[in-house]
Structures are given as C-alpha cells and as structure tokens.
Amino acid sequence: MAGKVAERRAALRDNLIIIAEKRIASDGLSALRARDLASDAGCALGAIYNVFGDLTDIVLAVNARTFHRLGADVAAALADAPQDPIEQLVVMAQAYHQFAAANLHSWRALFDVERAPGEAAPDWYLHEMGQLFAYISDPLAVVFPNRDPQELALLTRALFSSVHGIVLLGLDGASAGVPSDDIDKMIALILRQFTSNP
Amino acid sequence: MAGKVAERRAALRDNLIIIAEKRIASDGLSALRARDLASDAGCALGAIYNVFGDLTDIVLAVNARTFHRLGADVAAALADAPQDPIEQLVVMAQAYHQFAAANLHSWRALFDVERAPGEAAPDWYLHEMGQLFAYISDPLAVVFPNRDPQELALLTRALFSSVHGIVLLGLDGASAGVPSDDIDKMIALILRQFTSNP
C-alpha cells in the first residue's frame, strides 16, 4: 500500500510539472496560481503542498526542463556549425536567440523565478548554468589560448551575459525592441568584434 | 474656481508620483498597488484615476524621473573621465552598474513596466533611451571612425545591451550572481576587447 501512495504522489508531481509548464509557456510566470494548477490537475489545493514545498519548487522543476530543452537546441546548432570557434559561438548565440523567441515565457521564467533575498540558487540550477557555460568556454579557450582558467571563466560569463542582454532587450517590445534580424546582427557584431584581437 | 481644481489635480498628480517612486524604490514594481498609493496620499482610490489613466501611467512617470537621475549620474561620471574614448565607455558603464546596484528596484522598473502586447513604447521613453545611447555613440564614433551611422547605431545598441546583461545577471543573486567587483571587471573586459580592433 505504501508503494501505491508513493506512486500516486510521484504521478501527481509529474502531472503538476507538466501542467505548470503549459501554464507558464502560455501565460507567463507572473500569472501562475496554485489554485489554477489544482483545478487543471483535478486535485485539492492542499494536495499540491503534499508533493511540493511551494509554488517556487514547481517553477524550479519546470525551469530544469526548460534548461534541458535549451541545452539540446544549442547542442544541435553546434553539431551543424563550422569548425571555426568564432562561428561556433555565433551559431550557438543565435540558437539561444531562437529558443528565447520561440519560448518567450518559459525562457523568461528561468531568470524571473523569485527567491528569498540572499538565498543562493540551488545546486542543480548552478549545474545547468555551468553546462551552458561549457558550450561557450570550449571555443573561447581555442580563440584565447593564453588566458588562465579564471580569466576564461570571466570572459565566458561576460559573453553569455552580453548575448543575454542583446536578446532580452531585443525581444522586449516594451522598452527598446528591435527587429529580430537586428538581434542576430548585434550578436554576430559583438562576438566577432570581441574575438577579433585575442 | 477652475484654476483651483486644476491646481489641486496637479498637486495630487505630483504627490502620487513621489509616493509611487518611494514604494517602487523600497518594495519593487511588482508590489505596487493603487490602494496603497491612495492610502499614502490620503485620497480616494477613484481620485487616482482622475489624474492618471491607470497604474502603468504612474509607473511611466516614475521611470521618467529614474531615467533623468541615471542620465545625470552617467554625465557626472563622464565629466570626470579621461579624454580617451574607450576609458569614457568603461567609466560610463561602471556608473551604470553603480546606479543599478544603488537603485535596484527603480532601475528594474525601467525594464519591467508592463505594456499591452504590440503597444509601442511612448515617445518620451524612446527619447530618454536615445539620450542614454548618445552618451555611448559619441565615444564609439571616435573609436570606429569608418562605420556609417546605421552601423554605429547597431554597435551602440549592442554595447548598451551587453553592459545591461552583465549588470542584470550580475546583480541577480537568484540566477548566476557574481561579486560586484567581477561585474566591473566583466564590463571593462567586454568594452576593451570590443574596441581593441576597430
């Protein structure tokens, strides 16, 4: 019987993640409400808190799936990219842009998830970020062979943040939106210029 | 008598902007509620909508003031900067970082204000962004004398977005926070590398 209960809890957990993923993808993180999830799942509101600590825990589980999909897209772009490390960076950054544009709400949830001030990001989150950063630091190490690992880590983080900023402001029609074509142009401009004098 | 009414409306308008500015600065945009503003101002909830179309209009008025303060800080940093255009870019970008860190909620409200999908940013907003961009494009034009105005505009927007991304992710402890010293290092790294081969 204990096995059945555990099984049901696991099924509800998986179901709630899928439901929350759909809600975030269509309406955005800020519209996510526990009562809507309970209603979609056909369970009592309290049942959610039997399997998740709070709403943020569900969002983190959804974000884990989004990180995996993003990583898969970046890896697929890399597989088709030329051997040239600078072109690899450009192709991956443009894949990042495409993913963000096609999954706007889910992508924004990766960065908009709220955490208590001072509370560190969970290990799995930092691990997922680390995986993404490895895609960038590998070609960067080829372009900048004389930088030590610490400098390379800083370069990697700076470049990722730069591409993220270009995509974020570019996709945000409310502040200073630019056509999607120009986002890819800006990405290529920054990356080529950045790597032109190693 | 009409003059008195107009005067009172103007006074309430100014007062609501100051009150909203304080609320946003201390609690962030997402916690802003019309009923709290009415309570702080000692007016009826409906009175707010006699002087502003909606809450977003108040936020835009607050953002205008934040843009002006940011511009003043960047201008002050520029006044003390060396004549070298690359150093000017570095000093201004680091002033941007300092402003964002010291005015985190107000700065985030500049980018987080919600607008109906497809609705363009108001002209004054684009004008304020344009003013900030002029601070960047002037030294960039010295570094890249052979780029045409269109390329220069794209370079300017790409560099601003890059610095914005570095500051945004750097100050966000929830995702991939880095120590403040590293933010300035990354800014200098990106800007110097970017301008090293014009």
Side-chain angles (χ1 to χ4, degrees):
Chain A
M1 284 301 278
K4 276 267 190 216
V5 170
E7 223 170 75
R8 258 189 235 138
R9 276 173 58 102
L12 178 59
R13 193 180 182 283
D14 291 350
N15 195 23
L16 284 169
I17 293 171
I18 301 297
I19 285 167
E21 187 173 51
K22 278 188 196 151
R23 284 257 175 196
I24 290 172
S26 67
D27 304 328
L29 179 58
S30 62
L32 194 69
R33 302 278 176 273
R35 62 173 179 273
D36 293 332
L37 298 182
S39 156
D40 290 356
C43 72
L45 188 61
I48 291 181
Y49 301 106
N50 286 334
V51 287
F52 285 102
D54 58 21
L55 207 55
T56 298
D57 284 350
I58 306 184
V59 176
L60 291 179
V62 171
N63 283 357
R65 292 169 55 92
T66 307
F67 266 125
H68 277 291
R69 287 193 295 131
L70 170 59
D73 277 16
V74 169
L78 187 59
D80 290 338
Q83 281 299 307
D84 178 64
I86 297 174
E87 288 315 300
Q88 289 179 334
L89 288 169
V90 171
V91 163
M92 285 192 291
Q94 292 176 345
Y96 184 74
H97 166 212
Q98 294 312 318
F99 183 89
N103 302 273
L104 196 57
H105 286 310
S106 306
W107 169 70
R108 290 208 58 145
L110 293 176
F111 301 94
D112 289 347
V113 58
E114 298 230 350
R115 198 164 293 116
E119 197 180 326
D123 282 346
W124 69 260
Y125 190 101
L126 296 175
H127 178 76
E128 292 288 349
M129 288 295 272
Q131 296 279 86
L132 269 185
F133 282 1
Y135 283 119
I136 307 169
S137 62
D138 289 350
L140 268 187
V142 179
V143 180
F144 297 97
N146 298 321
R147 305 286 177 123
D148 66 38
Q150 211 180 341
E151 283 176 302
L152 209 59
L154 208 64
L155 274 172
T156 300
R157 195 178 284 270
L159 260 197
F160 171 75
S161 303
S162 297
V163 170
H164 179 75
I166 290 170
V167 172
L168 186 72
L169 292 185
L171 291 178
D172 179 12
S175 61
V178 291
S180 175
D181 281 359
D182 277 358
I183 297 179
D184 280 347
K185 269 190 220 162
M186 286 191 284
I187 288 172
L189 202 59
I190 285 280
L191 290 174
R192 296 220 171 90
Q193 191 63 33
F194 187 78
T195 51
S196 65
N197 192 19
Chain B
M1 282 300 278
K4 275 267 190 221
V5 171
E7 222 169 77
R8 258 189 233 137
R9 277 174 59 103
L12 177 60
R13 193 179 182 284
D14 291 351
N15 195 23
L16 284 169
I17 293 170
I18 301 297
I19 286 167
E21 186 173 52
K22 279 188 195 150
R23 285 258 174 196
I24 291 173
S26 67
D27 305 327
L29 180 59
S30 62
L32 194 69
R33 300 280 176 273
R35 60 173 179 273
D36 293 333
L37 298 182
S39 156
D40 290 356
C43 71
L45 187 61
I48 291 180
Y49 301 106
N50 285 335
V51 287
F52 285 103
D54 58 20
L55 207 55
T56 298
D57 284 349
I58 305 183
V59 176
L60 291 179
V62 171
N63 283 357
R65 293 169 55 93
T66 308
F67 266 125
H68 276 291
R69 286 194 296 130
L70 170 59
D73 276 17
V74 169
L78 187 59
D80 289 338
Q83 280 300 307
D84 178 63
I86 297 173
E87 287 315 300
Q88 289 179 335
L89 289 169
V90 171
V91 163
M92 285 191 290
Q94 292 176 345
Y96 184 75
H97 166 212
Q98 293 313 319
F99 183 89
N103 302 274
L104 196 57
H105 287 309
S106 305
W107 169 69
R108 290 209 57 146
L110 293 177
F111 302 93
D112 288 348
V113 58
E114 300 229 349
R115 196 163 294 116
E119 196 179 326
D123 282 346
W124 67 261
Y125 191 101
L126 297 174
H127 178 76
E128 293 288 348
M129 289 294 272
Q131 297 279 86
L132 270 185
F133 282 1
Y135 284 120
I136 308 169
S137 61
D138 289 350
L140 268 186
V142 179
V143 180
F144 297 97
N146 298 321
R147 306 284 177 123
D148 66 39
Q150 212 180 342
E151 285 176 303
L152 209 58
L154 208 64
L155 274 173
T156 300
R157 196 177 284 271
L159 260 197
F160 171 75
S161 302
S162 297
V163 170
H164 179 76
I166 291 170
V167 172
L168 186 72
L169 293 185
L171 291 179
D172 179 12
S175 62
V178 290
S180 175
D181 280 359
D182 277 359
I183 296 179
D184 280 346
K185 269 191 221 162
M186 286 191 285
I187 287 172
L189 202 58
I190 285 281
L191 290 175
R192 295 219 171 91
Q193 192 63 33
F194 186 78
T195 50
S196 66
N197 192 18

